[in-house]
């Protein structure tokens, strides 16, 4: 789960971090618990994060060099039973059940295999993973079977073996006596006993009724009748009853002795297995580390470079958003890698509708969230200082503020976010103040950009407001979009039917380019409107209005 102080649930969902975390899939209960406990690395923890990436790179190299051993490791991790609850109960003084003992024996069996594989890989791992539990394994396997199965065998206790032997002997004697009684009745009547323990006598068979009368009184009793038959059940003899009582007494004695053995085993395990909680933790971290490696392989990801903590900075080249890339792949398109750099203060991102500004914001947030959670990132390179947290501010917040207008929900979100600008946060603003009067909205957005321009946070604004791109000291980045496409040729292609609406996404250039101070915003909206077939006089009038506004 995302660390809610570092990133809130809404931001995690909007940037796609939830989706990435869902692809991080440990195989064991210990690994899944380690994933749940994941937290981001914050400023001051650069060395710990670097050490984690070191371990990932080492394990990734080992998996590439010895894929069979790594496959064996993953198979064995997937077999591990969850013994954490049993361990807690044991430490609280409970007596372990046979199911607990079986699970522990299986845990130790698979851990031994994991330990052997790690020795082959020669990796530096948590010492708890290399702990020797052979004495505990032998303690649970007195017959030296080497099997992961468990049975409370006679070898654990000579008195138990003796009582079980007596029980088997008396059961055989009772079974033999029962067979003799049933065979005598069958010989007399010619009728075999059913699986239900009954014998069936047809009501029309008078001779059989006469034969039954020859049996000692009380030997058979009527159990049920039907229209055609009478069913009888044999009553046990006094000797059988005596043997049955002896069996019940022996069964009680066996249960008492078995419970004594379990109590003895529990005490021994408590003494010999005091390192088990550390083993659970180490197994979880190993499993999670392997899950990180598998995720990095699936994303073709690289190790980010963590910069020393000074002023905030981030720079990446040829980065890909895996969620968006997957959506495009389903449409037969590919994600155009994006590069960007930013520092503490404010930066503005402009471009046409459909130009990919929101995707860029999501990508910046996702790269930071992944890197600070110790995940390799889908990019050619990434360098960053560690942020205290990140937020994605969007009109999507309206879903969390019922009863407010779009603009009202934006203001509510900004009220919560603006105090964070005073700290080393990454704050991503998607079209803020766009849900109200354009003049007032642009003024409010400009005021926020100016307010954050000299703060220790890194604030990136995606906007259509032209005034935001003119603020001194604020970097301006533009999505290239259709600006490098010949508009006349594109218009002719649309008119001829060789280019369609669905092709616009393919023709868009989603790369970012730094813009010089004072550069006007691209007028791509009217061009797209013209391409999509709005009447030419309408578009021409709109162009005229824009020109007058710019001259004014």
């Amino acid at each position: 789960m995302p660390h809610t102080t570092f990133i809130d649930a809404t931001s995690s969902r909007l940037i796609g971090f939830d989706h990435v975390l869902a692809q991080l899939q440990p195989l064991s209960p210990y690994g899944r618990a380690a994933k749940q406990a994941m937290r981001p690395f914050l400023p001051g923890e650069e060395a710990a994060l670097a050490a984690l990436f070191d371990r990932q790179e080492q394990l990734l190299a080992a998996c590439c060099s010895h894929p069979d051993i790594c496959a064996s490791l993953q198979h064995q991790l997937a077999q591990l039973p969850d013994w954490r609850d049993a361990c807690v109960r044991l430490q609280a003084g409970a007596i372990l059940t046979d199911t607990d003992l079986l699970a522990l024996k299986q845990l130790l069996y698979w851990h031994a295999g994991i330990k052997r594989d790690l020795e082959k890989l020669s990796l530096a791992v948590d010492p708890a993973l290399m702990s020797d539990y052979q004495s505990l394994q032998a303690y649970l396997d007195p017959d030296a079977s080497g099997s992961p199965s468990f049975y409370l065998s006679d070898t654990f206790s000579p008195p138990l073996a003796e009582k079980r032997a007596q029980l088997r002997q008396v059961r055989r004697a009772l079974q033999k006596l029962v067979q003799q009684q049933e065979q005598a009745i069958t010989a007399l009547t010619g009728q075999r006993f059913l699986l239900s323990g009954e014998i069936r006598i047809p009501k029309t068979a008078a001779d059989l009724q006469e034969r039954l009368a020859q049996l000692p009184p009380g030997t058979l009793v009527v159990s049920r009748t039907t229209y055609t038959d009478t069913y009888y059940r044999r009553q046990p003899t006094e000797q059988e009853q005596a043997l049955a009582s002896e069996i019940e007494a022996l069964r009680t004695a066996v249960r008492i002795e078995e419970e004594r053995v379990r109590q003895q085993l529990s005490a021994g395990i408590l003494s010999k297995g005091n390192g088990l909680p550390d083993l659970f933790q180490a197994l979880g971290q190993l499993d999670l580390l392997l899950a990180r490696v598998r995720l990095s392989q699936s994303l073709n990801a690289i190790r980010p470079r963590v910069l020393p903590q000074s002023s905030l900075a981030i720079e990446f080249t040829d980065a890909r958003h895996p969620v968006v890339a997957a959506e495009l792949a389903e449409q037969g398109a590919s994600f155009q890698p994006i590069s960007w750099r930013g520092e503490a203060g404010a930066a503005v991102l402009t471009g046409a509708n459909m130009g990919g500004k929101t995707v860029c914001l999501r990508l910046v947030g996702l790269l930071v969230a992944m890197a600070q959670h110790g995940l390799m990132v889908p990019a050619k390179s990434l360098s960053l200082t560690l942020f205290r947290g990140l937020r994605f501010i969007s009109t999507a917040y309206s879903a969390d503020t019922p009863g407010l207008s779009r603009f009202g929900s934006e203001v509510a979100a900004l009220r919560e976010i603006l105090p964070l600008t005073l700290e080393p946060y990454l704050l991503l603003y998607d079209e803020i103040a766009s849900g109200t009067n354009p003049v007032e909205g642009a003024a409010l957005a400009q005021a926020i950009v100016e307010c954050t321009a000299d703060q220790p946070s890194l604030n990136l604004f995606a906007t259509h407001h032209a005034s935001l791109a003119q603020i001194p000291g604020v970097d301006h980045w533009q999505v290239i979009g259709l600006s490098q496409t010949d508009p006349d040729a594109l218009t002719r292609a649309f008119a001829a039917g060789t280019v369609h609406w669905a092709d616009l996404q393919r023709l868009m250039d989603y790369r970012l380019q730094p813009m010089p101070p004072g550069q006007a915003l691209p007028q791509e909206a009217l061009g797209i409107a013209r391409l999509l077939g709005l009447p030419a006089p309408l578009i021409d009038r709109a162009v005229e209005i824009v020109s007058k506004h710019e001259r004014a």
Side-chain angles (χ1 to χ4, degrees), residues 210-227:
E210 292 176 0
R211 294 178 195 175
L212 292 181
Q214 299 175 21
L215 293 171
T219 301
L220 294 175
V221 296
V222 176
S223 57
R224 58 193 173 99
T225 61
T226 66
Y227 183 73

Side-chain angles (χ1 to χ4, degrees), residues 8-14 391-406 408-410 412-413 415-417:
D8 63 284
T10 302
S11 298
S12 180
R13 174 176 54 82
L14 290 175
R391 295 292 186 272
F392 189 98
I393 301 93
S394 167
T395 52
Y397 272 87
S398 60
D400 301 326
T401 51
L404 292 180
S405 66
R406 173 181 166 182
S409 64
E410 285 184 278
R415 185 182 60 225
E416 300 295 326
I417 296 303

Side-chain angles (χ1 to χ4, degrees), residues 11 43 48 53 82 98 110 191 210 236 245 285 307-308 412 471 504 532:
S11 298
F53 283 127
D82 190 349
D98 287 358
W110 294 114
Q191 302 293 312
E210 292 176 0
S245 296
Q285 291 303 320
L307 302 174
I471 302 174
L504 273 183
L532 296 179

Side-chain angles (χ1 to χ4, degrees), residues 192-211:
R192 292 182 177 276
F193 277 82
L194 304 174
L195 292 176
S196 62
E198 299 170 308
I199 188 169
R200 182 178 64 84
I201 303 297
K203 291 181 178 180
T204 58
D207 57 328
L208 292 181
Q209 298 290 346
E210 292 176 0
R211 294 178 195 175

